[in-house]
Amino acid sequence: MNYYIDFLDFDPQQQGDEYLWKAYRPVSITEQGGDILLRVPFVRQAPGNEMAPHPDGGRQEHTIVVRYYEPGIVRVFADFEHPGNTQPADSDDMLQYSARVKRVPLHVETDDNCLYASTPDGVRRAVLSRPEAPTDHWSDLLPPPQETLDLTLLPDGKTEVRLAAYDHFSPPRYDALPVAFCQKKDDQLWATISFECRPDECFAGTGERFMKMDLSGQTFFLKNQDGQGVNNRRTYKNIPFYVSSRLYGVYYHTTAYGKLSLAGQSTRSVQFLSEQGLVDAFIIGGESLGDIVRGYRDLTGYPAMPPLWSFGVWMSRMTYFSSHEVEDICQRLRREHFPCDVIHLDTGWFKTDWLCEWKFNEERFPDPPAFIQRLRAQGFRVSLWQLPYVAEDAEQIDEARRHNYIAPLTETQRTEGSNFSALDYAGTIDFTSTEATRWYQQLLRRLLQMGVACIKTDFGENIHLDAHYQNMPARLLNNLYALLYQKAAFDVTKEVTGQGIVWARAAWAGCQRFPLHWGGDSASSWDGMAGSLKGGLHFGLSGFAFWSHDVPGFHSLPDFMNGVVDDKVYVRWTQFGVFTSHIRYHGTSKREPWHFPRVSDIVRRWWRLRYALIPYIVEESREACRSGLPVLQALVFHHPHDKTCWHIDDQYYFGRQFLVCPVMNGEGRRQVYLPEGEWVHFFTGEHFEGRQWLNFENIPLEIMPVFVKAGAEIPVFPYEVDCTDDMDLLKSQTLTIDNRFSGYPL
């Protein structure tokens, strides 16, 4: 089967309706304003299973722009929808360049019959043209290969990232094309770009992938959607950015639906298909994966630092239904000295459960400002659930429709209601509209002015695709929607409270600027825990610093709403949560620790450990905000050349000093890989040399294997507290991991 039939979703038998246009060798290479412009012919291919130029001809010339930026970024751009456009945008909703990003002019030079693009320091950043491969002609059994675009990028001046110019079995049968575009039967243009990969190359990132660490061999559809758990291919957070074990990364700058094959369609190529006639790829080099992720943040923005209180425990369930219920829980948390900072109200604070009107039910929550202030006096912040859709029965529906604050549905869909499975929403708030955004922010402003500290920006993965949005087609908005939604909530929260934060589920490129995100609706099971961690590690390799998950999983099995969580799952997930950037308890049934009386004392001790570690967590969070590191770091961040680490997705660095190995089974078994270095068991004080596997059996429920680097100095808060209001970080002390360290007492 030919490449363009399978990967490009292209039917070659559509006579005259769909065509594939293949890039040939450039006819000219020029300099313009510091860019290199390649004038490239694209030749229409004939219908059929054998690729060949169309017998009736067909040739278009398009310009491919090669641009260089410090620090170590090469950009390849071609706009097939607007052929005269040779000036790619340097700022939009996704692109927010840091001060480190500077355009550096390229110039063309010749050496050994090759053309190169070099920066003024003499470093070659691209190979633009090279001699044709030698041949020894003896047979006409197969036609000669068509011309091709052979272009190699060197973002750091060393690592070669070459377009997949020669990925074919025989000249008529291609597995990948370097650059091409499809002319679809509905007059849309789709574009593709492919890069060579090596047989042993590994890949990671691309969003919150609930998969193994090495993503090679996988193909993903980059369309945000409700993941419905953490154990399948769907995901709430697609990020069109991947990193390679060869120490480069690629960011595809688009909002369109796309397909990304990481040596999946062809083991020789990484291939990207965009449902838009545009190629805009940033190839990022660096000495480490941290450098590469930082380069991506240099392009799309750095994370904001969350407030201190957010690092404490968040308590929630689905859902609390009255102020009396909430205050009873908060009082018991304090009475039994379970330290906690945030109480989250999920779907039940409205007049009708799930009917989001951005107003408290004043019968069940009388005098909301006084209620919030009573909780605040006890050291609790309030977080509120809501979503970006307006229901048919919401009191705001007429106003929203009258002013087009929700995108109006098409005439054919106007009477058919929502396209959101079993939930009926009349429309999606149109965040492409300034007026609609201000209207939404005013709804939140009233709540924030009451004293609410955080808005849970739930959903946002799906929008009504059968609607007219003011400033963007629905098919280009769906992926970007999460960013516009979260920015609106983040900005108004910071404006009113002085502290920027959201609790978000969906994401696209750039959303890392608006922390924080959690992993969605995981099952309260060992596989739900394992899937959550896999997703979090890939998410950190996708540019995000802060990430959390529902402890101890969101829903039960087999009864989604009413199952009882196993004590061991509750404790082991708690331990995992303590060593996560943020920790929140949430789910479809009871989550408060006293509902697990056999293990509640263990949980209390782990919560106290969490608060003791907050000075360290804050220190590592600040580092994450200014570097390319997340708080939860896959081992490959520190050991990219250790092949073992490219296959480990069940342990991680927590900051730069801890190695955390959650127990994810009921038998207390755990294999641990210690990478290079000297390691100390945090709870026993035992010393171990790295680059070895350890086998643990019958691990006590109150202990999780956690290791810390020998010689590390860990800032800790030595006093027991009920919340972060009681913490003066200037009173933190240093825990030195030396030969005198005999283990941290729980």
Side-chain angles (χ1 to χ4, degrees):
M1 182 174 287
N2 227 335
Y3 155 74
Y4 59 89
I5 297 174
D6 191 8
F7 183 69
L8 294 187
D9 298 323
F10 182 80
D11 182 0
Q13 304 304 329
Q14 289 287 333
Q15 300 288 333
D17 288 337
E18 295 189 349
Y19 290 107
L20 174 69
W21 297 79
K22 179 186 180 299
Y24 271 30
R25 185 180 302 114
V27 295
S28 68
I29 299 174
T30 59
E31 301 175 19
Q32 179 178 297
D35 294 337
I36 303 299
L37 305 186
L38 310 180
R39 193 65 180 167
V40 177
F42 285 78
V43 175
R44 183 173 55 158
Q45 301 297 294
N49 205 36
E50 303 283 320
M51 281 185 61
H54 198 287
D56 296 335
R59 178 182 173 110
Q60 300 179 14
E61 289 190 359
H62 293 273
T63 299
I64 295 179
V65 180
V66 179
R67 178 178 290 180
Y68 179 76
Y69 305 82
E70 291 181 349
I73 301 170
V74 178
R75 187 177 192 178
V76 177
F77 173 85
D79 189 345
F80 302 112
E81 295 179 349
H82 307 91
N85 178 21
T86 61
Q87 292 298 317
D90 277 330
S91 179
D92 58 24
D93 291 311
M94 294 170 291
L95 292 180
Q96 302 285 323
Y97 291 173
S98 77
R100 297 199 326 145
V101 177
K102 296 179 176 62
R103 278 186 63 183
V104 179
L106 293 168
H107 67 274
V108 177
E109 61 180 27
T110 305
D111 183 25
D112 298 328
N113 297 317
C114 290
L115 283 180
Y116 301 95
S118 301
T119 42
D121 57 6
V123 177
R124 291 170 176 170
R125 305 294 179 176
V127 181
L128 305 171
S129 178
R130 66 182 81 226
E132 292 188 25
T135 60
D136 181 10
H137 183 79
W138 69 273
S139 173
D140 293 314
L141 178 65
L142 290 173
Q146 296 186 57
E147 292 182 26
T148 190
L149 176 63
D150 190 344
L151 175 65
T152 300
L153 298 317
L154 298 94
D156 60 357
K158 297 176 292 185
T159 303
E160 293 189 354
V161 185
R162 188 177 185 182
L163 268 62
Y166 305 105
D167 190 349
H168 59 259
F169 169 67
S170 64
R173 299 201 170 185
Y174 289 81
D175 288 321
L177 296 174
V179 178
F181 67 90
C182 297
Q183 183 179 337
K184 307 294 283 186
K185 58 185 177 182
D186 54 5
D187 293 327
Q188 288 189 36
L189 297 181
W190 291 9
T192 181
I193 184 171
S194 304
F195 299 100
E196 285 185 354
C197 68
R198 305 286 170 79
D200 61 345
E201 193 167 350
C202 301
F203 304 97
T206 80
E208 191 180 38
R209 292 287 162 219
F210 311 120
M211 294 186 174
K212 300 291 187 182
M213 178 53 55
D214 176 15
L215 296 177
S216 62
Q218 300 288 341
T219 298
F220 304 109
F221 187 33
L222 300 180
K223 176 184 179 181
N224 280 0
Q225 54 192 309
D226 189 334
Q228 298 184 359
V230 298
N231 297 97
N232 59 69
R233 285 183 174 270
R234 295 183 301 269
T235 183
Y236 316 91
K237 307 173 185 69
N238 287 279
I239 310 299
F241 168 64
Y242 73 85
V243 295
S244 163
S245 60
R246 292 203 297 118
L247 294 184
Y248 77 91
V250 178
Y251 165 49
Y252 298 101
H253 173 226
T254 183
T255 68
Y257 297 149
K259 191 186 291 186
L260 177 60
S261 180
L262 299 170
Q265 171 69 27
S266 165
T267 60
R268 291 182 291 212
S269 300
V270 172
Q271 302 165 59
F272 177 70
L273 169 68
S274 174
E275 293 187 11
Q276 185 180 23
L278 181 72
V279 166
D280 195 5
F282 292 83
I283 299 87
I284 306 166
E287 295 294 324
S288 68
L289 291 178
D291 288 344
I292 294 162
V293 174
R294 187 178 185 189
Y296 168 77
R297 289 181 181 172
D298 282 326
L299 296 173
T300 60
Y302 282 72
M305 179 68 182
L308 174 64
W309 55 262
S310 73
F311 296 104
V313 172
W314 299 47
M315 179 52 64
S316 174
R317 71 164 92 144
M318 183 185 160
T319 178
Y320 302 133
F321 284 106
S322 72
S323 60
H324 178 74
E325 180 183 21
V326 171
E327 291 190 81
D328 279 353
I329 288 169
C330 290
Q331 289 167 10
R332 187 164 182 180
L333 286 166
R334 291 291 181 258
R335 187 168 63 249
E336 299 187 13
H337 297 291
F338 287 98
C340 182
D341 269 78
V342 184
I343 191 78
H344 171 72
L345 279 59
D346 217 60
T347 64
W349 62 281
F350 306 118
K351 183 177 180 180
T352 303
D353 188 22
W354 278 94
L355 181 59
C356 175
E357 296 178 303
W358 295 276
K359 288 186 176 182
F360 280 92
N361 180 322
E362 294 204 3
E363 292 182 4
R364 292 184 284 108
F365 292 89
D367 195 355
F371 161 68
I372 294 168
Q373 289 308 310
R374 286 195 301 274
L375 295 178
R376 184 68 194 87
Q378 300 174 62
F380 291 99
R381 271 82 173 177
V382 171
S383 165
L384 293 179
W385 178 91
Q386 50 82 78
L387 40 59
Y389 318 116
V390 182
E392 186 68 47
D393 296 330
E395 71 171 58
Q396 296 93 348
I397 187 63
D398 291 338
E399 178 189 14
R401 279 183 171 142
R402 185 167 61 251
H403 297 286
N404 286 338
Y405 295 150
I406 57 174
L409 302 181
T410 62
E411 291 299 324
T412 57
Q413 297 293 326
R414 190 173 297 279
T415 60
E416 295 184 16
S418 172
N419 56 5
F420 287 81
S421 65
L423 302 176
D424 183 34
Y425 299 109
T428 301
I429 298 175
D430 186 357
F431 288 112
T432 72
S433 160
T434 301
E435 292 76 18
T437 301
R438 288 173 179 165
W439 173 77
Y440 168 76
Q441 288 179 319
Q442 184 58 27
L443 296 173
L444 300 190
R445 186 176 285 109
R446 297 189 189 103
L447 299 167
L448 295 163
Q449 288 171 342
M450 291 181 188
V452 170
C454 178
I455 300 298
K456 178 177 174 179
T457 48
D458 203 357
F459 290 79
E461 306 89 3
N462 298 320
I463 64 173
H464 283 86
L465 295 174
D466 46 17
H468 296 292
Y469 298 87
Q470 290 192 28
N471 293 300
M472 187 175 289
R475 65 184 180 85
L476 296 180
L477 176 61
N478 191 91
N479 286 334
L480 183 67
Y481 189 82
L483 186 151
L484 303 180
Y485 169 35
Q486 290 159 26
K487 182 180 187 301
F490 182 96
D491 285 351
V492 71
T493 301
K494 188 171 184 179
E495 170 201 321
V496 175
T497 71
Q499 298 175 324
I501 188 172
V502 293
W503 188 276
R505 190 173 74 172
W508 188 252
C511 282
Q512 73 275 1
R513 303 196 300 266
F514 312 113
L516 56 106
H517 296 77
W518 100 99
D521 297 341
S522 54
S524 298
S525 61
W526 301 118
D527 52 72
M529 184 177 171
S532 295
L533 178 52
K534 287 178 171 69
L537 296 183
H538 281 294
F539 198 51
L541 285 156
S542 305
F544 288 74
F546 303 102
W547 172 83
S548 188
H549 43 89
D550 288 342
V551 181
F554 175 70
H555 69 90
S556 305
L557 288 174
D559 189 317
F560 187 91
M561 295 294 295
N562 304 304
V564 177
V565 178
D566 179 82
D567 282 357
K568 290 182 179 179
V569 171
Y570 190 87
V571 171
R572 294 303 189 190
W573 211 314
T574 288
Q575 295 165 346
F576 171 33
V578 164
F579 283 92
T580 306
S581 82
H582 290 77
I583 176 172
R584 184 184 77 155
Y585 286 75
H586 186 62
T588 56
S589 57
K590 299 180 179 68
R591 291 295 186 263
E592 297 78 23
W594 47 83
H595 295 295
F596 303 83
R598 289 176 294 185
V599 297
S600 61
D601 187 58
I602 295 174
V603 171
R604 183 189 289 108
R605 282 181 271 155
W606 276 85
W607 286 20
R608 288 175 179 168
L609 171 62
R610 170 70 183 194
Y611 279 77
L613 290 175
I614 281 180
Y616 172 79
I617 296 170
V618 168
E619 182 178 274
E620 294 302 305
S621 296
R622 288 174 178 154
E623 173 63 20
C625 288
R626 59 178 173 253
S627 71
L629 296 174
V631 177
L632 265 72
Q633 302 162 17
L635 271 60
V636 294
F637 270 109
H638 301 277
H639 310 281
H641 302 296
D642 185 338
K643 289 192 175 184
T644 300
C645 292
W646 280 96
H647 301 279
I648 293 180
D649 52 39
D650 60 355
Q651 59 184 76
Y652 57 94
Y653 277 83
F654 184 59
R656 292 164 293 176
Q657 304 298 338
F658 283 98
L659 182 69
V660 179
C661 311
V663 177
M664 293 187 281
N665 58 74
E667 294 77 41
R669 290 182 285 102
R670 173 76 226 207
Q671 277 193 318
V672 170
Y673 178 70
L674 295 181
E676 184 178 10
E678 183 182 352
W679 296 94
V680 180
H681 195 298
F682 187 58
F683 298 114
T684 69
E686 295 174 88
H687 284 244
F688 300 89
E689 286 298 321
R691 296 191 76 92
Q692 69 162 314
W693 286 94
L694 304 177
N695 289 308
F696 293 93
E697 301 284 344
N698 301 313
I699 302 169
L701 189 59
E702 62 269 19
I703 297 294
M704 176 175 68
V706 175
F707 300 85
V708 65
K709 290 181 178 178
E713 294 187 342
I714 309 296
V716 295
F717 195 76
Y719 310 106
E720 290 187 7
V721 296
D722 285 331
C723 65
T724 56
D725 286 349
D726 301 334
M727 299 178 72
D728 178 358
L729 294 187
L730 295 177
K731 295 180 180 179
S732 301
Q733 297 178 3
T734 300
L735 181 65
T736 302
I737 311 301
D738 56 18
N739 290 330
R740 294 171 296 175
F741 177 73
S742 59
Y744 190 88
L746 270 174

